[in-house]
Amino acid sequence: MKVYTFSAVGTYILYFSIIILMPILINRAYKKNTKFWWVIAWLILTIIAGFRYNTGQDWALYENAYSNLVYHGGNFLKGLFNIEISFKLFSWISYILLGNSLLLFLLNAALTNFFALAGIYRFKDQINPAWSVFIYTGILHFMQYNLGRQFLAMMIIFFAIKEIVNRHFIKFIVSVLFASLFHSTALLVMPLYFYGISIKKGGKYTQLFNILFYLLPIAALLSINPLISIAHKILGNTKYNSYTLSGNIRFGLGMIMQCILLFLVAACYKRRKCGLLNNIALLNLLMRMYVLASVFFYLQYIMSNFGGRIYLYFIPCEILLTGSILSGLKLLTPSGKIRVDFYQLLLFAITIFIIVHSVLTGSHGHVPYSFRYF
């Protein structure tokens, strides 16, 4: 296979073009009420992510894992990560059909972007999905260049949010189990169903669930050292031996921006400046998920990999939550007067800053971009 590597400037042009183009395609699909442009958007995102070569922090790790699996039976994989059955299956399919790892990355990208876009599509009648696609492609899409396996599991859980709101217990559990085939940490999300239905149903158990879920991070901190010791004894020589509990908290740009975002989202939520007012149960669930995402985001500075792994399953809620808030942003009143909600406008500005900063810094190892082809 041949490889073409973009320059840094070419990479930035490619990425920003995708971020701008995807909402345009989805907005057209939204206005025309057609699935055609959804499929085109899915194909573009899948091709860009699936055909990448040596792009992303974990690309080389997965490439080495693929080689060790198909050529050495996986004997050298201990200490890297535990292989879920999906990774083995995709690796062998790719090896049998192409003799290289291309299909491994392509299948992962196809499923990831399918569940991401399908999760947004499920709520297209309640919000303008173009804004949610803008959030996904601008902020979260590049995570799959670094967190391939877990990011797919994250998008499956994101897709299953509607099952919580509709109280489809079996469908949600099946979704979680399916997600765990790609990353076993997805099993941690199972209690989210009971939290979600308590919000919709209300009643005497709602407050109890709220207390339990907000105390969960504190309980995790108190029990993390014993859990690490148990993991070392049970798992032996694996990557979990490097997991530690750190006492250092770094107040960097990420923590500051997350704090600002949480304040702005909460302000818009309180003022009902969003497009999900016709689905209060979903809106309340997304807001509480976003609070939990912020809590675990802060705790990852203390809990290292543990906090980060949990945080990742909650943060996709911003695709719908922030997207619904921005979809209500209007610069002019029906009479033509300028009237802008300050919190919505500031949230939009911060979102643009985060997107530009994420792309330019290449935080997920996505710069420069290389494309492999036949």
Side-chain angles (χ1 to χ4, degrees):
M1 299 191 71
K2 300 178 182 179
V3 176
Y4 178 80
T5 301
F6 286 69
S7 64
V9 174
T11 299
Y12 297 143
I13 293 175
L14 172 66
Y15 289 158
F16 284 121
S17 297
I18 294 172
I19 294 170
I20 295 172
L21 178 61
M22 292 303 104
I24 293 176
L25 294 179
I26 299 305
N27 189 56
R28 184 175 180 82
Y30 176 66
K31 290 183 177 181
K32 299 290 185 180
N33 194 26
T34 175
K35 296 180 181 178
F36 175 77
W37 296 110
W38 285 92
V39 175
I40 296 300
W42 170 74
L43 285 173
I44 293 173
L45 293 175
T46 297
I47 290 172
I48 295 298
F51 280 86
R52 74 186 190 276
Y53 178 82
N54 200 25
T55 302
Q57 294 181 2
D58 278 0
W59 191 94
L61 175 63
Y62 289 155
E63 180 70 19
N64 291 334
Y66 160 83
S67 299
N68 287 330
L69 179 64
V70 299
Y71 296 119
H72 304 288
N75 293 327
F76 303 108
L77 291 178
K78 287 186 176 181
L80 293 176
F81 55 80
N82 298 327
I83 300 182
E84 288 84 4
I85 188 172
S86 62
F87 189 92
K88 296 179 182 179
L89 179 62
F90 288 175
S91 294
W92 282 111
I93 290 176
S94 187
Y95 175 71
I96 293 172
L97 296 182
L98 296 180
N100 57 49
S101 64
L102 174 60
L103 269 181
L104 168 65
F105 290 94
L106 190 58
L107 288 171
N108 190 282
L111 287 174
T112 297
N113 291 296
F114 169 78
F115 282 109
L117 294 179
I120 298 172
Y121 183 84
R122 302 185 88 180
F123 298 98
K124 66 180 179 62
D125 295 329
Q126 301 173 39
I127 60 174
N128 185 337
W131 282 104
S132 291
V133 170
F134 176 68
I135 298 297
Y136 169 67
T137 54
I139 297 179
L140 297 179
H141 170 74
F142 296 109
M143 283 187 179
Q144 68 182 292
Y145 292 17
N146 178 25
L147 304 164
R149 292 156 48 244
Q150 185 171 4
F151 192 77
L152 173 50
M154 289 163 53
M155 290 303 102
I156 295 173
I157 299 300
F158 168 70
F159 175 81
I161 286 177
K162 191 169 185 177
E163 312 304 345
I164 300 176
V165 179
N166 293 338
R167 302 184 69 185
H168 293 159
F169 175 71
I170 299 299
K171 289 183 178 180
F172 181 75
I173 295 302
V174 169
S175 299
V176 172
L177 294 176
F178 180 60
S180 70
L181 296 178
F182 300 94
H183 207 278
S184 56
T185 55
L187 296 173
L188 295 171
V189 189
M190 279 193 179
L192 182 63
Y193 174 82
F194 303 100
Y195 183 50
I197 63 172
S198 75
I199 293 173
K200 179 178 181 180
K201 183 178 180 181
K204 60 181 179 180
Y205 295 112
T206 302
Q207 192 63 33
L208 175 61
F209 276 110
N210 286 338
I211 294 173
L212 288 177
F213 268 76
Y214 289 120
L215 289 179
L216 181 61
I218 300 176
L221 277 177
L222 296 175
S223 62
I224 203 67
N225 277 329
L227 289 175
I228 293 175
S229 300
I230 294 173
H232 288 176
K233 294 178 181 179
I234 296 176
L235 299 174
N237 184 27
T238 69
K239 69 169 185 175
Y240 297 104
N241 287 332
S242 63
Y243 280 33
T244 57
L245 180 63
S246 170
N248 299 320
I249 301 180
R250 304 181 299 278
F251 289 93
L253 178 63
M255 182 173 284
I256 295 173
M257 295 305 295
Q258 187 64 33
C259 189
I260 295 174
L261 283 174
L262 179 60
F263 169 77
L264 292 175
V265 169
C268 292
Y269 166 80
K270 185 176 181 179
R271 292 154 56 84
R272 292 297 191 254
K273 295 290 184 178
C274 54
L276 287 173
L277 295 179
N278 59 339
N279 195 338
I280 296 298
L282 174 63
L283 180 61
N284 290 341
L285 173 61
L286 292 174
M287 188 62 220
R288 283 159 176 76
M289 287 180 65
Y290 195 69
V291 172
L292 286 172
S294 301
V295 170
F296 282 113
F297 177 80
Y298 299 138
L299 290 181
Q300 72 176 324
Y301 289 87
I302 301 176
M303 297 170 64
S304 187
N305 293 319
F306 289 99
R309 292 296 184 190
I310 301 174
Y311 147 78
L312 289 170
Y313 287 106
F314 290 96
I315 199 59
C317 70
E318 72 177 334
I319 297 175
L320 293 176
L321 184 58
T322 307
S324 70
I325 293 173
L326 294 181
S327 66
L329 179 63
K330 298 189 183 299
L331 301 180
L332 298 174
T333 64
S335 60
K337 296 182 180 179
I338 298 177
R339 185 178 180 181
V340 181
D341 184 85
F342 173 76
Y343 294 105
Q344 286 178 306
L345 185 61
L346 187 55
L347 178 63
F348 176 72
I350 295 296
T351 299
I352 295 297
F353 172 80
I354 292 175
I355 291 173
V356 173
H357 181 268
S358 176
V359 172
L360 294 182
T361 58
S363 56
H364 297 292
H366 53 269
V367 179
Y369 176 80
S370 295
F371 184 89
R372 53 178 170 177
Y373 59 97
F374 294 99

